[in-house]
Amino acid sequence: MQHTTRAGAIGVALLAAIALAGCSTGDSDSGTDAAASCAPSDGPVTLEFTSWIPGIEDAVKMWNDENPDITVKVQTGPNGNSGTYQNFFSQLEAGNAPDLGQIEYDAISSFRVQNGLENIGVCDEVVAAKDQFIPWTWGQVTLGTADEVYGVPQDSGPMALFYRSDLFEANGIAVPTTWAEYKTAAEQIRALGGYITNFSTSDINQFAGFVWQANGDWFTNDGDAWTVDLTGDESTTVAEYWQDLIDNDLVSSYPAWTEEWNNAYNSGEVWSWNSAVWGANSISSGAPDTAGNWSVAPSPQWEAGQSSAGNWGGSSVAVFKGTEHLYEATKFALWLNTSEEALTALNVSANIYPATTEGLSLPSLQEGVEFYGGQAIYDVFAEAAGQVNPDFVWGPTMTQTYADVSDGFKKAVTGQGTLLEALSSAQDSTISTLKAQSIPVAE
Amino acid sequence: MSMLTRTRGATADDLKISGTKPKESMISRGAALLIMGVFTLYFLVPIWWLFVSATKDRGQFLTTPSLWFADWNLWNNIGDLINYGDGVYLRWLINSLGYAGIGALLATIVAGMCGYALAKYRFPGRELFFNVILGGVLVPATALALPLFLIFSQVNLTNTYWAVLLPSIVSPFGVYLSRIFAAASVPDELIEASRIDGAGELRTFFTVSIRLMTPALVTVFLFQFVAIWNNFFLPLIMLRSEELFPVTFGLYAWNTQLNQIPELRTYVLVGSLLSVIPLIVTFLLLQRFWRNGLGSGSVK
C-alpha cells in the first residue's frame, strides 16, 4: 500500500515537471515576440532550412561553397500538406523550428495568424528586392499589408490551356478562346464520345484558380478582421458555368492524380486541361502515349478580347519565429529565389517555375518542348504570369475550407446538391472555424 | 480460461478420443473454401499488382494491363532505385532494419522480464502496475507521438536515432503476453529448484525461464518488429534528416513529390516491393516458433 502511494506521488511529480516545462517554453516564445532586428550576426552562422523540393540540396551546396560564413543545412520531408506543415507547427510549439522553411502561398496566412513567422519586411534588402518579383507573387507574401513581408516568393503557377492539338485539328474544332466557345467545343467533343476536360473535385486549387482568373476574391483582410466571400458574383459565375457542364455530362469527374485520371488523358478520352505551368510534367508523365500531340494556348476568357490568367500553386521561403539569424536567413532566401544560378538549378532539378520577372527568361525556359510538338510552351506561361490578378488573398484556415468545398463538390458531381451550395456551406463553416480560433471576422 | 470455455469437438484431441468422425456437409465445406479463396485473392492481388508493376518501365506502367507483365525491367528498376539520390534508399532500408531489429529485441527483453516479474513475484501494487500497463495497450501509438515530440524537444533528442528507437522499446501488449505465458509455462517448482541450486534471480531468468518462454518471446519480437517497421507517424513527427528516415517514411516522402519528379513513381513501387521482403523473411524464419507459441497459449 505504501509503495502504491509513493508511485502515485512520483507520477504526480513527473506530470508537474512536464507541465512546468511546457509553461517555460511558452514564456520563452513570448520573449521573442519583440520585433527582431535585421542585423548581421558576429562570426560564422549555421542555418537550418526545411524544404521538400527535390534536388534543392544542389542549389544549397552552391551557396555553401560561396558563403563559408553562412552554412545552410537542408532538411527534407513530405510536401507541405502531407505532414511538413503539421511538423512546423509542432516545432514552433516546442521552440525548435528551423530558421527557414518552404511554405506554399495558400498556407502563409495560417502561419501568420498563429504568430509563427518573422516579418522580414524589417530587412532593407527584402524591401529593395520587391521590384524583382512578379507583382502578384509579392502580394501573396505581404498578405495585402503595406510594410510586412512573410516570405520570399519562390515559384508560381500561372494557368493556361493544355489541349490535344491533333484531335482538335482532325475534328475541325477551333481552339476555344472564351469560356462560351469552350462549352460549344465541349458539346462537339461529347458528340464524338470524348470529354473536353476533367472537373477535379478533390483539388480545390484548380477551381480557386478559375475564380482568381475571373477577378473573384475569397478572402480580404483589412488589418483588423477577415472577410470571407466564397459566394461572390465571380465565384457564382464560375460555379454556375461548371455546374452547367456537369449537368449536361460534358466533363468527366475522375479523382485527380489517380491512375484512372492518367489513363483518361493517355487514352484520348479527355482532350484538354486548364492547368498551371507545372501541369506540363503531369501530362508528360501521366499520358506518355500522347507525346507530341499536345499544345498550350492561353486560358479561355470570360469576355472576348480580355487577357486574364489564374494561378494554381506556388510557394515561398519563409523565416520562422525565433530565429537568431534573421539577416543571414533573408540573405540566403533572396539568393535562392533571385540569382540565376539557383533558379536554373531549381528549374533543372525540380521544374520550379521562378517568381521573378528575370527568371521567366532563363535559357532553360526558352526552348521548345518535345512532348508539346516542339512548341516553346513557357512563352505562353510567361505571358500568363503577367496577367494574374495581384489582389487575390488566401485565408488562414485553408485546409478546412478546401476539405469542406471538396466534400460538397464530390456530392455535386454525383447529382446531390450543386457547386454553389458547396461553396455556400464552406463559407459558413470557414467563418465558424475562424471564430473558433479567435480570428476576428467581419460580417 | 480456455479450460473453461473448451467444448467437445473443438480440438483434434477430442476427435481422436471420440473415435467417430463427425460428417462434414459438402455445402459448408465448399462455402468455407470459397470464403478462404476469396480472402486469399483479396490479400494477394495487391501484392501481385505491386510485383508486376515493379517489373515495368514508366511508360508501360500506364499503358499495359496492370495485372500482367510487359517487358522485364525489374533489375534495371532496382539498379536505378539504388543509384538514385546517392543510394539513399539502401540507407533507409538499413535504418529500418536497425530501428525494427534493435527496437524489437530490446522490447522483447524488457517485456519478457516485466511480464515474468508480474507473473512470478508477489509484491504490493502488482495488480495496479499490471492494470496500468494493460491500459497502455488501449492508447494508440499515434496519440502519443506529439506529446513525445514535445518532451524529446526539451532534451534535444528530436531528429536523432534515439527519437525513434527509445519509444519503440515499450510494448505493453508484449508485457501482457509475457505475463500470461510465464504464469502458464514456467512452473514455480522449477524456479524454487534453481534457487535451491544456488542460482540468483537473474540467472534463473536468463538460463531457465527464458527457454520456457521462448514461444511467447518470439511472438512478442515478431509483433514488435512488424509494428516498428510499419510505424510511420512517429518518424514523420520526429525526423528531419533524410539519412535517418526508415524506409516507409522515405517512400512516403518520395510519393508526395511525384508531381515534380515523375520517375519517382517507379522508385516508389520498386522500393515498396523490396521493403516487404525483410518482413516476409522474418515471418518465414520465425513462423515455426510463432505458431507453436500461439498454440501453446490456447490449449495449456
Side-chain angles (χ1 to χ4, degrees):
Chain A
M1 196 57 216
Q2 218 190 337
H3 283 82
T4 326
T5 329
R6 195 193 294 163
I10 293 172
V12 171
L14 265 178
L15 281 178
I18 294 167
L20 277 177
C23 288
S24 65
T25 344
D27 290 347
S28 66
D29 274 352
S30 56
T32 54
D33 271 359
S37 61
C38 195
S41 312
D42 299 329
V45 165
T46 303
L47 298 170
E48 284 186 350
F49 172 37
T50 301
S51 167
W52 57 86
I53 306 294
I56 205 157
E57 302 85 358
D58 302 339
V60 171
K61 192 174 175 301
M62 287 181 198
W63 165 269
N64 285 339
D65 290 345
E66 289 166 30
N67 297 274
D69 285 347
I70 307 174
T71 311
V72 177
K73 274 168 51 185
V74 194
Q75 300 174 332
T76 180
N79 77 29
N81 281 313
S82 310
T84 297
Y85 292 151
Q86 202 45 54
N87 283 339
F88 284 156
F89 283 120
S90 321
Q91 290 169 318
L92 285 164
E93 176 87 26
N96 59 4
D99 299 279
L100 299 129
Q102 192 87 35
I103 298 183
E104 285 154 298
Y105 295 134
D106 56 357
I108 297 179
S109 277
S110 323
F111 282 92
R112 172 67 196 109
V113 299
Q114 309 234 13
N115 199 19
L117 302 179
E118 293 282 358
N119 170 19
I120 58 174
V122 299
C123 298
D124 296 337
E125 293 188 21
V126 173
V127 179
K130 177 183 172 181
D131 294 337
Q132 296 184 43
F133 291 93
I134 300 166
W136 72 264
T137 64
W138 198 255
Q140 296 286 296
V141 295
T142 59
L143 305 176
T145 60
D147 52 359
E148 293 171 24
V149 183
Y150 290 102
V152 176
Q154 179 160 77
D155 65 325
S156 64
M159 291 168 77
L161 183 68
F162 294 93
Y163 67 100
R164 283 288 298 273
S165 40
D166 60 329
L167 294 176
F168 273 83
E169 209 165 294
N171 294 289
I173 302 171
V175 180
T177 58
T178 64
W179 287 110
E181 286 174 26
Y182 196 69
K183 191 191 165 187
T184 314
E187 284 161 347
Q188 292 170 305
I189 293 169
R190 194 69 198 102
L192 295 164
Y195 287 104
I196 193 164
T197 193
N198 186 72
F199 183 75
S200 168
T201 55
S202 50
D203 203 329
I204 301 310
N205 271 296
Q206 184 188 29
F207 187 83
F210 293 150
V211 173
W212 196 335
Q213 187 210 10
N215 267 325
D217 215 349
W218 277 358
F219 293 87
T220 34
N221 179 11
D222 62 4
D224 295 322
W226 288 87
T227 310
V228 185
D229 191 16
L230 264 61
T231 51
D233 293 345
E234 296 86 357
S235 302
T236 306
T237 310
V238 175
E240 282 172 349
Y241 176 81
W242 287 97
Q243 185 66 48
D244 181 41
L245 294 187
I246 294 168
D247 288 344
N248 290 304
D249 186 34
L250 297 176
V251 291
S252 62
S253 55
Y254 298 106
W257 324 118
T258 57
E259 294 319 322
E260 304 122 277
W261 183 78
N262 279 332
N263 194 42
Y265 278 98
N266 196 37
S267 63
E269 183 189 350
V270 179
W271 290 24
S272 80
W273 188 30
N274 208 284
S275 180
V277 55
W278 43 261
N281 277 310
S282 309
I283 300 182
S284 59
S285 64
D289 284 2
T290 58
N293 297 334
W294 289 84
S295 295
V296 182
S299 294
Q301 302 291 320
W302 288 101
E303 304 279 344
Q306 269 183 338
S307 55
S308 177
N311 174 71
W312 181 359
S315 67
S316 69
V317 174
V319 181
F320 286 110
K321 205 82 183 171
T323 178
E324 288 165 13
H325 308 294
L326 188 57
Y327 174 80
E328 288 78 8
T330 49
K331 208 174 158 190
F332 166 72
L334 284 171
W335 172 85
L336 183 67
N337 298 315
T338 58
S339 75
E340 187 176 329
E341 47 176 347
L343 291 178
T344 306
L346 291 177
N347 183 256
V348 169
S349 66
N351 303 303
I352 291 289
Y353 192 68
T356 59
T357 33
E358 291 250 313
L360 299 185
S361 47
L362 286 181
S364 55
L365 294 175
Q366 308 308 313
E367 295 152 15
V369 183
E370 211 175 306
F371 188 85
Y372 296 89
Q375 187 189 355
I377 60 168
Y378 293 103
D379 291 352
V380 181
F381 291 102
E383 204 181 326
Q387 300 167 347
V388 177
N389 173 13
D391 298 326
F392 192 91
V393 174
W394 297 105
T397 53
M398 288 319 296
T399 315
Q400 164 269 321
T401 305
Y402 288 148
D404 286 338
V405 176
S406 170
D407 285 350
F409 277 15
K410 279 176 192 149
K411 282 191 200 143
V413 296
T414 60
Q416 305 163 285
T418 64
L419 301 179
L420 196 56
E421 283 167 22
L423 290 174
S424 165
S425 80
Q427 154 107 1
D428 295 343
S429 59
T430 302
I431 290 176
S432 47
T433 310
L434 289 171
K435 285 182 174 163
Q437 296 190 15
S438 310
I439 300 168
V441 183
E443 302 267 355
Chain B
M1 76 191 162
S2 51
M3 271 299 224
L4 298 173
T5 53
R6 197 167 140 199
T7 46
R8 233 177 111 75
T11 66
D13 294 346
D14 287 328
L15 294 180
K16 268 182 221 140
I17 293 162
S18 60
T20 52
K21 229 179 167 184
K23 272 190 184 161
E24 284 173 26
S25 100
M26 285 302 281
I27 297 174
S28 71
R29 187 176 184 158
L33 278 176
L34 184 74
I35 292 171
M36 276 202 301
V38 167
F39 274 92
T40 311
L41 266 184
Y42 180 78
F43 288 118
L44 286 184
V45 165
I47 297 179
W48 175 249
W49 178 87
L50 180 64
F51 177 63
V52 170
S53 303
T55 64
K56 298 178 181 176
D57 75 15
R58 197 152 56 85
Q60 291 169 336
F61 173 66
L62 283 167
T63 52
T64 54
S66 42
L67 289 179
W68 197 246
F69 300 98
D71 293 341
W72 185 263
N73 271 309
L74 183 60
W75 311 126
N76 284 343
N77 287 346
I78 292 178
D80 290 349
L81 167 74
I82 289 172
N83 287 327
Y84 182 77
D86 296 332
V88 72
Y89 179 79
L90 283 184
R91 177 85 195 233
W92 293 342
L93 213 52
I94 293 167
N95 287 344
S96 267
L97 284 171
Y99 291 130
I102 299 172
L105 194 68
L106 292 177
T108 308
I109 295 173
V110 170
M113 291 174 87
C114 187
Y116 174 77
L118 284 168
K120 290 296 160 191
Y121 299 106
R122 313 202 130 266
F123 55 92
R126 178 168 81 152
E127 290 311 309
L128 178 76
F129 264 119
F130 186 59
N131 288 335
V132 169
I133 291 169
L134 263 191
V137 177
L138 301 177
V139 183
T142 319
L144 292 175
L146 261 181
L148 274 175
F149 174 79
L150 294 177
I151 294 172
F152 276 42
S153 293
Q154 302 283 340
V155 289
N156 288 327
L157 273 184
T158 55
N159 199 29
T160 60
Y161 272 110
W162 298 109
V164 175
L165 195 59
L166 283 182
S168 305
I169 61 180
V170 178
S171 167
F173 179 72
V175 175
Y176 165 78
L177 205 68
S178 303
R179 174 181 180 169
I180 302 292
F181 202 86
S185 69
V186 184
D188 287 345
E189 295 80 1
L190 210 61
I191 300 178
E192 273 159 32
S194 116
R195 279 179 193 149
I196 290 167
D197 286 346
E201 296 300 326
L202 267 183
R203 184 159 171 206
T204 308
F205 175 75
F206 279 108
T207 54
V208 179
S209 312
I210 212 168
R211 300 208 177 149
L212 296 168
M213 288 169 68
T214 306
L217 294 181
V218 170
T219 311
V220 172
F221 179 85
L222 203 59
F223 276 0
Q224 195 64 5
F225 187 89
V226 175
I228 301 174
W229 191 274
N230 290 332
N231 190 355
F232 164 75
F233 197 60
L234 187 69
L236 171 71
I237 299 258
M238 291 287 185
L239 302 179
R240 302 282 163 270
S241 306
E242 205 171 42
E243 64 269 16
L244 296 178
F245 289 179
V247 70
T248 43
F249 181 36
L251 289 174
Y252 172 77
W254 274 357
N255 198 38
T256 68
Q257 297 167 348
L258 289 185
N259 266 343
Q260 275 134 347
I261 311 241
E263 55 266 36
L264 282 178
R265 187 189 297 279
T266 316
Y267 300 157
V268 170
L269 284 170
V270 182
S272 307
L273 182 70
L274 294 187
S275 78
V276 183
I277 293 173
L279 284 185
I280 295 177
V281 170
T282 321
F283 253 93
L284 291 180
L285 285 180
L286 298 178
Q287 194 190 31
R288 194 164 51 92
F289 299 99
W290 188 50
R291 262 200 317 231
N292 190 358
L294 285 185
S296 352
S298 60
V299 260
K300 258 262 141 60

